[in-house]
PDB file of all heavy atoms in Angstrom:
ATOM      1  N   TYR A1383      72.669 118.457  59.223  1.00  0.00           N
ATOM      2  CA  TYR A1383      71.429 119.215  59.319  1.00  0.00           C
ATOM      3  C   TYR A1383      70.295 118.541  58.524  1.00  0.00           C
ATOM      4  O   TYR A1383      69.177 118.441  58.986  1.00  0.00           O
ATOM      5  CB  TYR A1383      71.600 120.620  58.742  1.00  0.00           C
ATOM      6  CG  TYR A1383      72.329 121.594  59.631  1.00  0.00           C
ATOM      7  CD1 TYR A1383      72.893 122.753  59.062  1.00  0.00           C
ATOM      8  CD2 TYR A1383      72.421 121.449  61.000  1.00  0.00           C
ATOM      9  CE1 TYR A1383      73.555 123.681  59.862  1.00  0.00           C
ATOM     10  CE2 TYR A1383      73.079 122.390  61.798  1.00  0.00           C
ATOM     11  CZ  TYR A1383      73.652 123.498  61.213  1.00  0.00           C
ATOM     12  OH  TYR A1383      74.273 124.427  61.991  1.00  0.00           O
ATOM     13  N   ALA A1442      62.048 126.225  65.987  1.00  0.00           N
ATOM     14  CA  ALA A1442      62.261 124.955  66.698  1.00  0.00           C
ATOM     15  C   ALA A1442      63.669 124.882  67.248  1.00  0.00           C
ATOM     16  O   ALA A1442      64.586 125.493  66.743  1.00  0.00           O
ATOM     17  CB  ALA A1442      62.032 123.797  65.727  1.00  0.00           C
ATOM     18  N   PRO A1443      63.837 124.086  68.331  1.00  0.00           N
ATOM     19  CA  PRO A1443      65.193 123.933  68.843  1.00  0.00           C
ATOM     20  C   PRO A1443      66.026 123.059  67.887  1.00  0.00           C
ATOM     21  O   PRO A1443      65.627 121.967  67.517  1.00  0.00           O
ATOM     22  CB  PRO A1443      64.985 123.169  70.162  1.00  0.00           C
ATOM     23  CG  PRO A1443      63.682 122.431  69.961  1.00  0.00           C
ATOM     24  CD  PRO A1443      62.841 123.299  69.064  1.00  0.00           C
ATOM     25  N   THR A1444      67.133 123.596  67.442  1.00  0.00           N
ATOM     26  CA  THR A1444      68.055 122.789  66.632  1.00  0.00           C
ATOM     27  C   THR A1444      69.481 123.001  67.166  1.00  0.00           C
ATOM     28  O   THR A1444      69.807 124.126  67.605  1.00  0.00           O
ATOM     29  CB  THR A1444      68.012 123.173  65.112  1.00  0.00           C
ATOM     30  OG1 THR A1444      68.116 124.575  64.985  1.00  0.00           O
ATOM     31  CG2 THR A1444      66.721 122.685  64.442  1.00  0.00           C
ATOM     32  N   ALA A1445      70.241 121.943  67.123  1.00  0.00           N
ATOM     33  CA  ALA A1445      71.571 121.954  67.735  1.00  0.00           C
ATOM     34  C   ALA A1445      72.565 122.772  66.891  1.00  0.00           C
ATOM     35  O   ALA A1445      72.356 122.974  65.690  1.00  0.00           O
ATOM     36  CB  ALA A1445      72.061 120.512  67.850  1.00  0.00           C
ATOM     37  N   SER A1473      68.174 125.133  71.942  1.00  0.00           N
ATOM     38  CA  SER A1473      68.491 123.716  72.193  1.00  0.00           C
ATOM     39  C   SER A1473      69.475 123.568  73.353  1.00  0.00           C
ATOM     40  O   SER A1473      70.378 124.418  73.526  1.00  0.00           O
ATOM     41  CB  SER A1473      69.108 123.123  70.938  1.00  0.00           C
ATOM     42  OG  SER A1473      69.743 121.905  71.238  1.00  0.00           O
ATOM     43  N   ILE A1475      71.711 121.563  73.114  1.00  0.00           N
ATOM     44  CA  ILE A1475      72.943 121.338  72.355  1.00  0.00           C
ATOM     45  C   ILE A1475      73.349 122.589  71.562  1.00  0.00           C
ATOM     46  O   ILE A1475      73.847 122.496  70.450  1.00  0.00           O
ATOM     47  CB  ILE A1475      72.733 120.142  71.363  1.00  0.00           C
ATOM     48  CG1 ILE A1475      71.988 118.985  72.008  1.00  0.00           C
ATOM     49  CG2 ILE A1475      74.040 119.609  70.772  1.00  0.00           C
ATOM     50  CD1 ILE A1475      72.791 118.222  73.032  1.00  0.00           C
ATOM     51  N   GLN A1505      64.915 124.322  75.467  1.00  0.00           N
ATOM     52  CA  GLN A1505      64.680 122.911  75.200  1.00  0.00           C
ATOM     53  C   GLN A1505      65.611 122.069  76.063  1.00  0.00           C
ATOM     54  O   GLN A1505      66.820 122.259  76.052  1.00  0.00           O
ATOM     55  CB  GLN A1505      64.876 122.612  73.713  1.00  0.00           C
ATOM     56  CG  GLN A1505      64.715 121.136  73.348  1.00  0.00           C
ATOM     57  CD  GLN A1505      66.015 120.360  73.429  1.00  0.00           C
ATOM     58  OE1 GLN A1505      67.086 120.885  73.106  1.00  0.00           O
ATOM     59  NE2 GLN A1505      65.946 119.121  73.874  1.00  0.00           N
ATOM     60  N   TYR A1507      67.167 118.361  77.317  1.00  0.00           N
ATOM     61  CA  TYR A1507      67.389 116.923  77.292  1.00  0.00           C
ATOM     62  C   TYR A1507      67.721 116.532  78.724  1.00  0.00           C
ATOM     63  O   TYR A1507      68.494 117.226  79.394  1.00  0.00           O
ATOM     64  CB  TYR A1507      68.591 116.562  76.397  1.00  0.00           C
ATOM     65  CG  TYR A1507      68.292 116.561  74.929  1.00  0.00           C
ATOM     66  CD1 TYR A1507      69.077 117.312  74.038  1.00  0.00           C
ATOM     67  CD2 TYR A1507      67.256 115.799  74.410  1.00  0.00           C
ATOM     68  CE1 TYR A1507      68.813 117.291  72.684  1.00  0.00           C
ATOM     69  CE2 TYR A1507      66.990 115.781  73.039  1.00  0.00           C
ATOM     70  CZ  TYR A1507      67.766 116.530  72.202  1.00  0.00           C
ATOM     71  OH  TYR A1507      67.500 116.520  70.848  1.00  0.00           O
ATOM     72  N   THR A1533      62.142 117.508  75.640  1.00  0.00           N
ATOM     73  CA  THR A1533      62.111 116.629  74.468  1.00  0.00           C
ATOM     74  C   THR A1533      62.054 115.164  74.963  1.00  0.00           C
ATOM     75  O   THR A1533      62.895 114.735  75.744  1.00  0.00           O
ATOM     76  CB  THR A1533      63.331 116.860  73.579  1.00  0.00           C
ATOM     77  OG1 THR A1533      63.287 118.210  73.139  1.00  0.00           O
ATOM     78  CG2 THR A1533      63.339 115.941  72.365  1.00  0.00           C
ATOM     79  N   LYS A1600      57.823 117.810  73.975  1.00  0.00           N
ATOM     80  CA  LYS A1600      58.097 117.794  72.562  1.00  0.00           C
ATOM     81  C   LYS A1600      58.440 116.382  72.098  1.00  0.00           C
ATOM     82  O   LYS A1600      59.346 115.740  72.667  1.00  0.00           O
ATOM     83  CB  LYS A1600      59.285 118.709  72.235  1.00  0.00           C
ATOM     84  CG  LYS A1600      59.777 118.661  70.810  1.00  0.00           C
ATOM     85  CD  LYS A1600      60.808 119.726  70.508  1.00  0.00           C
ATOM     86  CE  LYS A1600      61.197 119.755  69.064  1.00  0.00           C
ATOM     87  NZ  LYS A1600      62.084 118.644  68.674  1.00  0.00           N
ATOM     88  N   SER A1622      55.604 115.892  67.167  1.00  0.00           N
ATOM     89  CA  SER A1622      56.868 115.957  66.426  1.00  0.00           C
ATOM     90  C   SER A1622      57.499 114.583  66.334  1.00  0.00           C
ATOM     91  O   SER A1622      57.407 113.788  67.264  1.00  0.00           O
ATOM     92  CB  SER A1622      57.822 116.901  67.198  1.00  0.00           C
ATOM     93  OG  SER A1622      59.140 116.838  66.649  1.00  0.00           O
ATOM     94  N   HIS A1624      60.735 114.667  65.487  1.00  0.00           N
ATOM     95  CA  HIS A1624      62.118 115.151  65.508  1.00  0.00           C
ATOM     96  C   HIS A1624      62.641 115.373  64.090  1.00  0.00           C
ATOM     97  O   HIS A1624      63.815 115.129  63.807  1.00  0.00           O
ATOM     98  CB  HIS A1624      63.009 114.150  66.277  1.00  0.00           C
ATOM     99  CG  HIS A1624      64.069 114.757  67.094  1.00  0.00           C
ATOM    100  ND1 HIS A1624      64.036 114.802  68.470  1.00  0.00           N
ATOM    101  CD2 HIS A1624      65.251 115.370  66.770  1.00  0.00           C
ATOM    102  CE1 HIS A1624      65.144 115.414  68.932  1.00  0.00           C
ATOM    103  NE2 HIS A1624      65.884 115.744  67.910  1.00  0.00           N
ATOM    104  N   GLY A1625      61.730 115.785  63.223  1.00  0.00           N
ATOM    105  CA  GLY A1625      62.135 116.038  61.838  1.00  0.00           C
ATOM    106  C   GLY A1625      62.659 114.762  61.174  1.00  0.00           C
ATOM    107  O   GLY A1625      63.548 114.840  60.312  1.00  0.00           O
ATOM    108  N   ARG A1627      64.397 112.362  62.422  1.00  0.00           N
ATOM    109  CA  ARG A1627      65.758 112.019  62.828  1.00  0.00           C
ATOM    110  C   ARG A1627      65.809 110.946  63.897  1.00  0.00           C
ATOM    111  O   ARG A1627      66.865 110.516  64.287  1.00  0.00           O
ATOM    112  CB  ARG A1627      66.468 113.285  63.360  1.00  0.00           C
ATOM    113  CG  ARG A1627      66.729 114.301  62.298  1.00  0.00           C
ATOM    114  CD  ARG A1627      67.002 115.683  62.885  1.00  0.00           C
ATOM    115  NE  ARG A1627      68.342 115.863  63.410  1.00  0.00           N
ATOM    116  CZ  ARG A1627      69.410 116.104  62.681  1.00  0.00           C
ATOM    117  NH1 ARG A1627      69.310 116.141  61.375  1.00  0.00           N
ATOM    118  NH2 ARG A1627      70.581 116.316  63.262  1.00  0.00           N
ATOM    119  N   ASP A1657      55.476 120.200  64.448  1.00  0.00           N
ATOM    120  CA  ASP A1657      56.580 120.514  63.562  1.00  0.00           C
ATOM    121  C   ASP A1657      56.888 119.341  62.662  1.00  0.00           C
ATOM    122  O   ASP A1657      56.382 118.235  62.874  1.00  0.00           O
ATOM    123  CB  ASP A1657      57.823 121.001  64.329  1.00  0.00           C
ATOM    124  CG  ASP A1657      58.556 119.892  65.083  1.00  0.00           C
ATOM    125  OD1 ASP A1657      58.388 118.717  64.775  1.00  0.00           O
ATOM    126  OD2 ASP A1657      59.332 120.254  65.983  1.00  0.00           O
ATOM    127  N   GLY A1658      57.700 119.623  61.617  1.00  0.00           N
ATOM    128  CA  GLY A1658      58.120 118.568  60.693  1.00  0.00           C
ATOM    129  C   GLY A1658      57.640 118.835  59.293  1.00  0.00           C
ATOM    130  O   GLY A1658      56.447 118.720  59.008  1.00  0.00           O
ATOM    131  N   GLY A1659      58.548 119.247  58.416  1.00  0.00           N
ATOM    132  CA  GLY A1659      58.235 119.353  56.995  1.00  0.00           C
ATOM    133  C   GLY A1659      57.436 120.578  56.606  1.00  0.00           C
ATOM    134  O   GLY A1659      56.908 120.656  55.479  1.00  0.00           O
ATOM    135  N   ARG A1661      57.087 123.916  55.075  1.00  0.00           N
ATOM    136  CA  ARG A1661      57.974 124.680  54.166  1.00  0.00           C
ATOM    137  C   ARG A1661      57.237 125.798  53.439  1.00  0.00           C
ATOM    138  O   ARG A1661      57.860 126.556  52.693  1.00  0.00           O
ATOM    139  CB  ARG A1661      58.544 123.752  53.112  1.00  0.00           C
ATOM    140  CG  ARG A1661      59.368 122.590  53.677  1.00  0.00           C
ATOM    141  CD  ARG A1661      60.653 123.063  54.329  1.00  0.00           C
ATOM    142  NE  ARG A1661      61.435 121.953  54.874  1.00  0.00           N
ATOM    143  CZ  ARG A1661      61.394 121.567  56.157  1.00  0.00           C
ATOM    144  NH1 ARG A1661      60.621 122.200  57.024  1.00  0.00           N
ATOM    145  NH2 ARG A1661      62.120 120.567  56.575  1.00  0.00           N
ATOM    146  N   ILE A1679      59.476 125.501  63.161  1.00  0.00           N
ATOM    147  CA  ILE A1679      60.240 125.325  61.935  1.00  0.00           C
ATOM    148  C   ILE A1679      61.676 124.972  62.316  1.00  0.00           C
ATOM    149  O   ILE A1679      62.291 125.723  63.084  1.00  0.00           O
ATOM    150  CB  ILE A1679      60.300 126.655  61.117  1.00  0.00           C
ATOM    151  CG1 ILE A1679      58.921 127.235  60.918  1.00  0.00           C
ATOM    152  CG2 ILE A1679      61.013 126.491  59.787  1.00  0.00           C
ATOM    153  CD1 ILE A1679      58.024 126.433  60.027  1.00  0.00           C
ATOM    154  N   GLY A1680      62.212 123.895  61.806  1.00  0.00           N
ATOM    155  CA  GLY A1680      63.582 123.483  62.132  1.00  0.00           C
ATOM    156  C   GLY A1680      64.575 123.847  61.049  1.00  0.00           C
ATOM    157  O   GLY A1680      65.180 124.909  61.043  1.00  0.00           O
ATOM    158  N   ARG A1681      64.714 122.949  60.082  1.00  0.00           N
ATOM    159  CA  ARG A1681      65.789 123.095  59.095  1.00  0.00           C
ATOM    160  C   ARG A1681      65.783 124.446  58.347  1.00  0.00           C
ATOM    161  O   ARG A1681      66.847 124.995  58.110  1.00  0.00           O
ATOM    162  CB  ARG A1681      65.764 121.926  58.115  1.00  0.00           C
ATOM    163  CG  ARG A1681      66.157 120.613  58.733  1.00  0.00           C
ATOM    164  CD  ARG A1681      66.012 119.467  57.756  1.00  0.00           C
ATOM    165  NE  ARG A1681      66.326 118.150  58.330  1.00  0.00           N
ATOM    166  CZ  ARG A1681      65.449 117.407  58.999  1.00  0.00           C
ATOM    167  NH1 ARG A1681      64.219 117.825  59.203  1.00  0.00           N
ATOM    168  NH2 ARG A1681      65.818 116.229  59.467  1.00  0.00           N
ATOM    169  N   LEU A1684      67.944 126.952  59.763  1.00  0.00           N
ATOM    170  CA  LEU A1684      69.375 126.691  59.563  1.00  0.00           C
ATOM    171  C   LEU A1684      69.822 127.053  58.151  1.00  0.00           C
ATOM    172  O   LEU A1684      70.922 127.544  57.934  1.00  0.00           O
ATOM    173  CB  LEU A1684      69.675 125.206  59.843  1.00  0.00           C
ATOM    174  CG  LEU A1684      69.351 124.747  61.271  1.00  0.00           C
ATOM    175  CD1 LEU A1684      69.413 123.238  61.385  1.00  0.00           C
ATOM    176  CD2 LEU A1684      70.318 125.390  62.270  1.00  0.00           C
TER     177      LEU A1684
HETATM  178  C1  FMN B2011      70.007 119.665  62.676  1.00  0.00           C
HETATM  179  C2  FMN B2011      68.882 119.448  63.635  1.00  0.00           C
HETATM  180  C3  FMN B2011      69.129 119.500  65.000  1.00  0.00           C
HETATM  181  C4  FMN B2011      68.086 119.322  65.922  1.00  0.00           C
HETATM  182  N1  FMN B2011      68.365 119.441  67.246  1.00  0.00           N
HETATM  183  C5  FMN B2011      67.366 119.299  68.132  1.00  0.00           C
HETATM  184  C6  FMN B2011      67.610 119.490  69.522  1.00  0.00           C
HETATM  185  O1  FMN B2011      68.710 119.793  69.943  1.00  0.00           O
HETATM  186  N2  FMN B2011      66.553 119.320  70.338  1.00  0.00           N
HETATM  187  C7  FMN B2011      65.312 118.983  69.935  1.00  0.00           C
HETATM  188  O2  FMN B2011      64.393 118.823  70.727  1.00  0.00           O
HETATM  189  N3  FMN B2011      65.036 118.845  68.611  1.00  0.00           N
HETATM  190  C8  FMN B2011      66.028 118.996  67.721  1.00  0.00           C
HETATM  191  N4  FMN B2011      65.774 118.878  66.393  1.00  0.00           N
HETATM  192  C9  FMN B2011      64.380 118.642  65.925  1.00  0.00           C
HETATM  193  C10 FMN B2011      63.685 119.980  65.674  1.00  0.00           C
HETATM  194  O3  FMN B2011      63.411 120.620  66.875  1.00  0.00           O
HETATM  195  C11 FMN B2011      62.344 119.779  64.934  1.00  0.00           C
HETATM  196  O4  FMN B2011      61.570 118.827  65.621  1.00  0.00           O
HETATM  197  C12 FMN B2011      62.500 119.377  63.476  1.00  0.00           C
HETATM  198  O5  FMN B2011      63.622 119.951  62.910  1.00  0.00           O
HETATM  199  C13 FMN B2011      61.259 119.817  62.698  1.00  0.00           C
HETATM  200  O6  FMN B2011      61.318 119.404  61.389  1.00  0.00           O
HETATM  201  P1  FMN B2011      61.801 120.324  60.153  1.00  0.00           P
HETATM  202  O7  FMN B2011      63.282 120.398  60.249  1.00  0.00           O
HETATM  203  O8  FMN B2011      61.331 119.543  59.004  1.00  0.00           O
HETATM  204  O9  FMN B2011      61.130 121.678  60.282  1.00  0.00           O
HETATM  205  C14 FMN B2011      66.787 119.034  65.452  1.00  0.00           C
HETATM  206  C15 FMN B2011      66.536 118.975  64.071  1.00  0.00           C
HETATM  207  C16 FMN B2011      67.559 119.197  63.183  1.00  0.00           C
HETATM  208  C17 FMN B2011      67.270 119.160  61.704  1.00  0.00           C
END
Side-chain angles (χ1 to χ4, degrees):
Y1383 283 160
T1444 49
S1473 165
I1475 317 289
Q1505 177 270 324
Y1507 281 127
T1533 300
K1600 174 172 184 284
S1622 171
H1624 217 106
R1627 292 162 78 79
D1657 73 20
R1661 302 292 180 264
I1679 309 292
R1681 291 177 182 84
L1684 299 169

